């Protein structure tokens, strides 16, 4: 298998796979295949793994449910999307040979990722606590983020604070969605009683709050390749 580990930009990654039905979320190429049964999904997954061979284990992650098969590609050792992942996405798409649903009603096509963000004055002092209490490990390529080794819990990342900010939450959620549904998601949240606190960093993220001020960022991959772009989520 061609295992070119050359990292590529977010813009290059998404541009290469958009028409194939994949979306870039938190440094992974993700797609969802609708299913009628677990048996159908197991057959598809077997065909995919046979196509990729043992080398695919360093890139592919799969989540099989009765109604959907979620596939994610990333060079796991570096935590980045590489040229090899683009080639693998093309091969996987060819094996599946069916429509995929990366975009749509999030209740039926849940292509999204959740992170928990912790604001801290001393990241090095608080990160070990969260790693221990949650049983997490450093994320490859990002020592300021923690991930579940089993891949079941949301990632936790730490945002450096410059000073105390009274009356502001110190923990908030980051929901990362496909770039082409982000504005729809923001609009739905506002229609449901939310408030837009900031769109200064859009399209990378919008900061929203519920009726009592609890915060969440709606995030995408877009504009994160710009020099100096602040980013609450990768």
């Amino acid at each position: 298998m061609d295992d070119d580990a050359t990292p590529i930009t977010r813009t290059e990654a998404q541009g290469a796979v958009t028409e194939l039905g994949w979306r870039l979320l938190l440094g992974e190429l993700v797609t969802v295949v609708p299913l009628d049964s677990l048996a159908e999904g197991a057959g598809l997954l077997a065909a995919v793994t046979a196509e990729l061979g043992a080398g695919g284990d360093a890139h592919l992650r799969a989540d099989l449910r009765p109604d959907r098969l979620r596939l994610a590609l990333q060079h796991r050792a570096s935590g980045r999307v590489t040229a090899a992942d683009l080639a693998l996405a093309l091969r996987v798409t060819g094996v599946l040979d069916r429509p995929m649903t990366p975009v749509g009603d999030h209740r039926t096509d849940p292509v999204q990722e959740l992170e928990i963000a912790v604001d801290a004055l001393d990241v090095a002092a608080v990160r070990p606590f969260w790693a221990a209490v949650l049983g997490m490990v450093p994320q490859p390529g990002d020592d300021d983020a923690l991930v579940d080794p089993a891949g079941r819990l949301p990632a936790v990342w730490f945002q450096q604070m410059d000073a105390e900010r009274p009356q502001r939450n110190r923990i908030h959620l980051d929901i990362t969605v496909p770039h082409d549904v982000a504005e729809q998601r923001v609009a739905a949240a506002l229609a449901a009683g939310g408030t837009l606190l900031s769109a200064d960093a859009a399209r990378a993220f919008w900061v929203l709050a519920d009726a009592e001020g609890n915060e969440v960022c709606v995030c995408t991959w877009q504009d994160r390749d710009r020099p100096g772009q602040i980013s609450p989520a990768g």
Side-chain angles (χ1 to χ4, degrees):
M1 167 175 113
D2 181 9
D3 199 18
D4 184 351
T6 304
I8 58 176
T9 68
R10 298 173 179 90
T11 302
E12 291 170 335
Q14 183 60 81
V17 299
T18 297
E19 297 304 317
L20 298 178
W22 298 73
R23 293 296 182 270
L24 179 65
L25 299 179
L26 295 181
E28 292 184 322
L29 299 178
V30 179
T31 196
V32 171
V33 183
L35 302 172
D36 293 324
S37 68
L38 278 173
E40 179 189 19
L44 285 174
L45 184 55
V48 167
T49 55
E51 165 66 20
L52 300 189
D57 290 354
H59 297 263
L60 181 68
R61 294 292 182 271
D63 181 4
L64 176 58
R65 309 291 174 93
D67 61 342
R68 64 178 62 92
L69 171 62
R70 181 188 186 276
L71 300 171
L73 290 167
Q74 179 193 72
H75 185 259
R76 300 293 162 180
S78 66
R80 300 284 301 274
V81 172
T82 65
D85 296 297
L86 298 185
L88 291 174
L90 182 61
R91 291 170 62 184
V92 170
T93 302
V95 170
L96 296 174
D97 191 27
R98 60 170 56 199
M100 294 179 282
T101 57
V103 178
D105 185 337
H106 68 274
R107 292 167 296 183
T108 56
D109 301 331
V111 181
Q112 55 187 349
E113 293 287 347
L114 179 66
E115 287 186 303
I116 298 172
V118 178
D119 294 344
L121 290 170
D122 188 346
V123 172
V126 302
R127 185 176 56 238
F129 165 81
W130 289 102
V133 76
L134 297 175
M136 289 187 164
V137 298
Q139 178 175 305
D142 185 357
D143 290 338
D144 284 338
L146 300 173
V147 294
D148 176 11
R152 299 187 61 181
L153 300 179
V156 177
W157 73 281
F158 300 85
Q159 179 167 265
Q160 181 65 54
M161 297 176 64
D162 297 325
E164 289 277 4
R165 285 174 283 188
Q167 303 303 313
R168 184 183 187 275
N169 294 330
R170 296 286 292 274
I171 296 178
H172 67 274
L173 304 182
D174 289 337
I175 184 71
T176 298
V177 300
H179 64 281
D180 35 10
V181 302
E183 292 188 11
Q184 174 187 347
R185 183 67 65 88
V186 170
L190 297 179
T195 300
L196 178 63
L197 299 184
S198 174
D200 292 346
R203 304 170 295 180
F205 62 94
W206 292 256
V207 184
L208 309 178
D210 69 12
E212 295 190 359
N214 301 301
E215 296 180 13
V216 59
C217 293
V218 176
C219 309
T220 80
W221 66 268
Q222 287 186 307
D223 298 331
R224 296 177 184 276
D225 291 324
R226 298 185 321 208
Q229 171 66 55
I230 57 173
S231 119

